[in-house]
Amino acid sequence: MRTQTAMLLLTLPMAIPGPCLAWDLTYDGDVLPTDPALGPGSWALNVYSAPGVVSDSSTTGGVLHLSDQRTDQAALFFRDDLPPNSPVTIEARLRVTSADGAYIALVEPLRFGGSLAFVGIWPDRVGVRYRGNNYFDFYSVDMTQFHVVRLAIEENPWPYRVPAFTVWVDGVQVFSGSAPGTTGGSVHFGTNLIKEFTSESYWDYVRYSREYVPVPEPSGLLALTSGLTGLLAMRRRRGAG
């Protein structure tokens, strides 16, 4: 029995999905996303953001604080380096403490405002909206505490079918669907662009991949399978003895 317990303790850490090697870029909140010190890892400020809005943003203890209480355009950051028709995943660990919230989005090539799929985050819920759907689907969650939100979209074999996408909150799938359009283009994160809206949000990290990265990640599933296989083999040996 003690041997079984020891084996279980050894295999449990393996069964927990770890960092996925597929992530192409991780922003960790140590400096502002636009800081030149990030080099090729920096993010651009969207042209619809107010020129001085980054001055209202700050980083403390590895967490990015975005605040837009001035009823003007807010801070929205993007990376415009996704190949056309490619799969993509964006994930953020964040919390939203006031008003109209924040979002992460996948935007089609050459067409800002033509979001293929995006996730809006408010203090009390997460909303999913996609091209071809004019309303949000909501999932209730206390976003004043840190949660991990992931949005992933499959490769678009255009023109054969529309791409499918999935949203998870803390590893729990909360939505899946498909949206007409073309994958690739850019990924966005930040606060709402509508100038009458105000918001305050805290971002622990933001990362994205040019792959479709589901939850659990393949590396975690492989480790889980290996651990369970070891436990079953041990039980068979004990039974045979």
Side-chain angles (χ1 to χ4, degrees):
M1 182 67 180
R2 283 180 295 180
T3 303
Q4 286 182 320
T5 303
M7 181 64 73
L8 180 61
L9 291 174
L10 287 172
T11 55
L12 276 176
M14 296 173 58
I16 299 173
C20 178
L21 299 179
W23 298 110
D24 291 299
L25 182 71
T26 297
Y27 166 71
D28 59 13
D30 286 336
V31 296
L32 294 179
T34 55
D35 196 310
L38 293 175
S42 65
W43 295 67
L45 184 66
N46 192 277
V47 294
Y48 291 94
S49 299
V53 73
V54 177
S55 64
D56 279 355
S57 305
S58 61
T59 58
T60 304
V63 175
L64 172 67
H65 176 210
L66 298 181
S67 178
D68 179 35
Q69 308 299 330
R70 304 176 302 161
T71 65
D72 61 8
Q73 300 288 6
L76 182 65
F77 305 96
F78 74 96
R79 296 276 305 191
D80 197 18
D81 55 357
L82 299 174
N85 303 318
S86 66
V88 60
T89 302
I90 181 170
E91 177 182 279
R93 183 175 184 267
L94 76 158
R95 66 188 186 100
V96 177
T97 58
S98 69
D100 298 295
Y103 75 87
I104 58 176
L106 306 176
V107 179
E108 293 181 276
L110 305 178
R111 197 182 154 176
F112 179 72
S115 296
L116 194 60
F118 68 91
V119 178
I121 301 116
W122 291 266
D124 60 346
R125 65 196 187 280
V126 169
V128 181
R129 187 173 177 180
Y130 53 95
R131 189 176 178 192
N133 180 25
N134 294 322
Y135 58 88
F136 277 100
D137 291 290
F138 290 108
Y139 173 74
S140 297
V141 57
D142 179 11
M143 287 303 303
T144 63
Q145 306 298 315
F146 276 106
H147 293 279
V148 176
V149 180
R150 180 183 298 192
L151 168 62
I153 192 163
E154 296 177 348
E155 180 179 3
N156 179 20
W158 185 261
Y160 302 108
R161 69 175 179 85
V162 296
F165 67 93
T166 308
V167 177
W168 296 267
V169 176
D170 294 332
V172 176
Q173 181 177 315
V174 299
F175 188 82
S176 64
S178 58
T182 304
T183 56
S186 58
V187 292
H188 287 68
F189 82 92
T191 53
N192 204 307
L193 281 177
I194 300 176
K195 66 181 181 180
E196 290 82 9
F197 287 3
T198 62
S199 66
E200 189 166 20
S201 56
Y202 298 81
W203 303 74
D204 181 28
Y205 69 79
V206 179
R207 60 186 183 181
Y208 79 92
S209 170
R210 298 182 187 92
E211 296 181 18
Y212 179 82
V213 185
V215 177
E217 296 168 15
S219 59
L221 285 174
L222 179 61
L224 176 60
T225 301
S226 300
L228 291 176
T229 300
L231 285 175
L232 289 173
M234 182 184 64
R235 289 179 63 87
R236 290 194 191 101
R237 286 196 298 270
R238 285 182 59 88

